[in-house]
Amino acid sequence: VHGQGGVKFQNWAKTYGSSPELYFQPTSVEEIREILDMARQRNKRVKVVGGGHSPSDIACTDDFMIQMGKMNRILKVDKEKQQVTVEGGIFLSDLNVELSKHGLALANLGAVSEVAAAGVIGTGTHNTGIEHGILPTQVVALTLLTASGEILECSESVNEDIFQAARLHLGCLGVVLTVTFQCVPQFHLHEVAFPSTLAEVLDHLNDHLKRSKYFRFLWFPHSENVSVIYQDPTSKAGPCTGRGRARPSSSSASWFWDYAIGYYLLEFLLWISTFVPSLVRWINRFFFWLLFSSRVENVAISYKIFSYECRFKQHVQDWAIPIEKTKEALLELKAALENNPKMVAHYPVEVRFARGDEIWLSPCFRRDSCYMNIIMYRPYGKNVPRLNYWLTYEGIMKKHGGRPHWAKAHTCTRKDFETMYPAFPKFCAVREKLDPTGMFLNTYLEKVFY
């Protein structure tokens, strides 16, 4: 196997990067074994990456980097069990199209599809829907190549402990070679977005959760404005219509709203606001009025509704808190912004919901959760001051028993995780057994485990 030197790795948002000594794109398990042998002999660490979408340094390394893009085949479709087995490097965007040909779909998907199957489960990607868990809950089996070169088959019935650890593996247990997903029959979604207020949504949260299978809402900081989004299975099939959330249809009117107004104007105004921060309040309200103040409907195949383009480079934080803390935490964040006029927050704060599960490092471990995603855009790549906002938000999340999304930047250390995760010691024991020398660690993971 030949590794390339001089490759610079950057994540999608260009907020983190590294210069691996050697960069590999293996095409077989044997090649990966060789890379691990070489790493062992030279005492190098190894990091495996997929789409590189994580807005943190979880995938960065200065040693060996393995990019799994060439190991992206569909290995088996079991129509009877409605399961699909794929290589770890396949992008969900490709998997969605292939599943569709077999009349199947994943029951839930994150917003971004240009991500690899092994990476999606590695960081605990989620969407919304109180009947649905995070994406790793759809995994029924996987195979793992460990630091010693051994291949482990893992499922609920084989290597069960390793399976519960590997369903959210942080890239530190080995190389995930294959993943088997539980699918559902293909379905269409009817999406309705309509305006509301923060008070209304928080006061009737349970009604909203019952009313729609995939309910989320967007709050526009420095205002009472909220856009409520319902997505529900429908028997109607139809093309995308209207101005869905950053989902361009082919008409020029829609292009004008989505791109000319929605994108270029927003980026320009956000850039100006870096000189006059008080403009952010006005920008949030203006864009709510412009793009979110009327009711919009869409019908399309499920994966087209779940996925949308993230057009902006951005800094993101996303913590999961117990669902019953939603109202209190969000009102505290709102009050913090009101009491500190110098602190500005870009829209939207995206609020989503997920079912509790038994995955050891899942932010939803044994509790139904609310994810509260905050964002600061980087207009034309410029960094906007965010430290105050970031730390205020983290403080509120911690106070309410929050757990950070593993793919995103946070300030937590091992001491925090030991408190947050009852099964943290179990995960550590599995990690130390599978990778005693720490071959799969990096700076991000050292803060987690040491």
Side-chain angles (χ1 to χ4, degrees):
V1 280
H2 296 291
Q4 277 176 279
V7 171
K8 176 132 179 63
F9 165 77
Q10 273 197 316
N11 68 343
W12 173 83
K14 298 194 167 27
T15 46
Y16 293 90
S18 63
S19 303
E21 185 182 315
L22 287 176
Y23 179 85
F24 299 90
Q25 284 189 298
T27 56
S28 69
V29 177
E30 283 318 308
E31 285 181 28
I32 299 177
R33 269 213 182 96
E34 276 181 52
I35 298 163
L36 298 188
D37 284 344
M38 196 195 304
R40 210 176 300 107
Q41 286 157 18
R42 298 198 198 170
N43 206 14
K44 296 290 180 190
R45 286 179 164 183
V46 177
K47 239 350 325 103
V48 184
V49 297
H53 218 279
S54 294
S56 69
D57 53 346
I58 192 168
C60 294
T61 185
D62 292 330
D63 286 6
F64 289 3
M65 183 172 276
I66 299 177
Q67 204 282 329
M68 293 289 278
K70 290 184 175 167
M71 296 188 67
N72 64 348
R73 290 172 307 156
I74 289 182
L75 302 174
K76 185 184 177 192
V77 178
D78 185 331
K79 283 194 167 176
E80 214 170 290
K81 287 186 179 169
Q82 299 186 339
Q83 291 176 353
V84 62
T85 303
V86 297
E87 288 185 313
I90 192 169
F91 272 19
L92 292 192
S93 49
D94 297 326
L95 176 58
N96 291 333
V97 175
E98 285 305 312
L99 283 177
S100 188
K101 291 177 189 169
H102 293 280
L104 295 172
L106 290 171
N108 209 346
L109 288 163
V112 180
S113 292
E114 306 303 312
V115 284
V120 159
I121 68 169
T123 54
T125 299
H126 68 96
N127 184 18
T128 193
I130 199 56
E131 293 169 25
H132 295 273
I134 61 172
L135 266 60
T137 59
Q138 299 175 65
V139 174
V140 289
L142 51 85
T143 55
L144 189 68
L145 177 66
T146 65
S148 65
E150 185 186 2
I151 291 181
L152 299 175
E153 305 276 338
C154 308
S155 68
E156 294 269 349
S157 51
V158 186
N159 290 318
E160 193 199 344
D161 270 11
I162 295 172
F163 179 62
Q164 288 305 3
R167 281 208 284 175
L168 205 162
H169 55 75
L170 302 183
C172 67
L173 303 179
V175 183
V176 174
L177 299 174
T178 72
V179 182
T180 302
F181 288 105
Q182 181 61 52
C183 303
V184 296
Q186 180 180 312
F187 62 105
H188 281 69
L189 281 173
H190 177 212
E191 178 182 69
V192 182
F194 58 92
S196 186
T197 64
L198 189 59
E200 188 282 325
V201 173
L202 293 178
D203 288 344
H204 300 101
L205 197 57
N206 283 337
D207 296 341
H208 285 291
L209 285 163
K210 284 182 194 132
R211 215 170 285 159
S212 173
K213 208 171 169 67
Y214 303 96
F215 154 68
R216 62 147 65 82
F217 68 91
L218 313 176
W219 170 55
F220 289 66
H222 311 294
S223 79
E224 266 290 320
N225 297 331
V226 162
S227 174
V228 174
I229 298 157
Y230 287 173
Q231 294 169 339
D232 290 285
T234 176
S235 51
K236 291 182 293 193
C240 280
T241 54
R243 295 194 319 276
R245 179 146 166 240
R247 203 178 294 109
S249 76
S250 54
S251 76
S252 55
S254 153
W255 181 92
F256 175 76
W257 284 104
D258 270 359
Y259 280 90
I261 300 289
Y263 182 78
Y264 296 111
L265 179 63
L266 179 59
E267 185 161 34
F268 177 66
L269 290 175
L270 288 172
W271 180 75
I272 289 178
S273 77
T274 60
F275 306 102
V276 190
S278 60
L279 277 181
V280 170
R281 291 171 177 70
W282 177 84
I283 293 168
N284 287 2
R285 287 170 187 165
F286 172 66
F287 272 88
F288 178 80
W289 170 79
L290 191 68
L291 295 177
F292 296 89
S293 59
S294 57
R295 184 184 169 95
V296 177
E297 295 192 42
N298 252 324
V299 174
I301 196 160
S302 59
Y303 67 83
K304 288 188 176 167
I305 294 280
F306 285 140
S307 306
Y308 50 83
E309 283 179 74
C310 283
R311 294 191 186 141
F312 278 112
K313 304 302 183 209
Q314 54 195 230
H315 287 286
V316 198
Q317 278 233 54
D318 191 16
W319 285 53
I321 55 174
I323 197 164
E324 60 276 10
K325 302 280 190 185
T326 306
K327 180 176 180 176
E328 211 180 324
L330 204 47
L331 290 178
E332 254 178 71
L333 186 63
K334 183 173 186 266
L337 289 169
E338 282 164 5
N339 298 332
N340 188 345
K342 284 197 173 136
M343 191 158 66
V344 298
H346 291 165
Y347 85 81
V349 170
E350 184 174 24
V351 184
R352 290 175 284 179
F353 304 90
R355 197 188 67 220
D357 60 51
E358 288 294 322
I359 299 170
W360 291 351
L361 290 192
S362 163
C364 302
F365 181 72
R366 293 193 179 159
R367 67 185 196 200
D368 291 349
S369 300
C370 162
Y371 277 94
M372 217 169 277
N373 186 74
I374 65 166
I375 203 164
M376 286 300 271
Y377 295 118
R378 301 174 59 230
Y380 309 121
K382 182 175 180 177
N383 274 330
V384 179
R386 67 179 198 285
L387 194 61
N388 246 350
Y389 179 33
W390 246 229
L391 294 176
T392 302
Y393 163 85
E394 272 202 357
I396 294 168
M397 295 292 107
K398 271 189 182 169
K399 175 183 156 186
H400 292 293
R403 297 167 177 159
H405 190 316
W406 289 106
K408 308 194 176 170
H410 53 77
T411 61
C412 298
T413 59
R414 176 169 179 141
K415 217 153 83 193
D416 296 307
F417 296 125
E418 283 173 347
T419 314
M420 292 169 179
Y421 288 101
F424 192 75
K426 280 187 183 174
F427 186 94
C428 292
V430 167
R431 188 197 72 74
E432 282 155 23
K433 190 175 142 205
L434 294 181
D435 184 19
T437 63
M439 180 190 281
F440 294 106
L441 292 179
N442 63 358
T443 312
Y444 174 102
L445 291 169
E446 276 173 354
K447 280 184 235 157
V448 173
F449 296 114
Y450 294 108

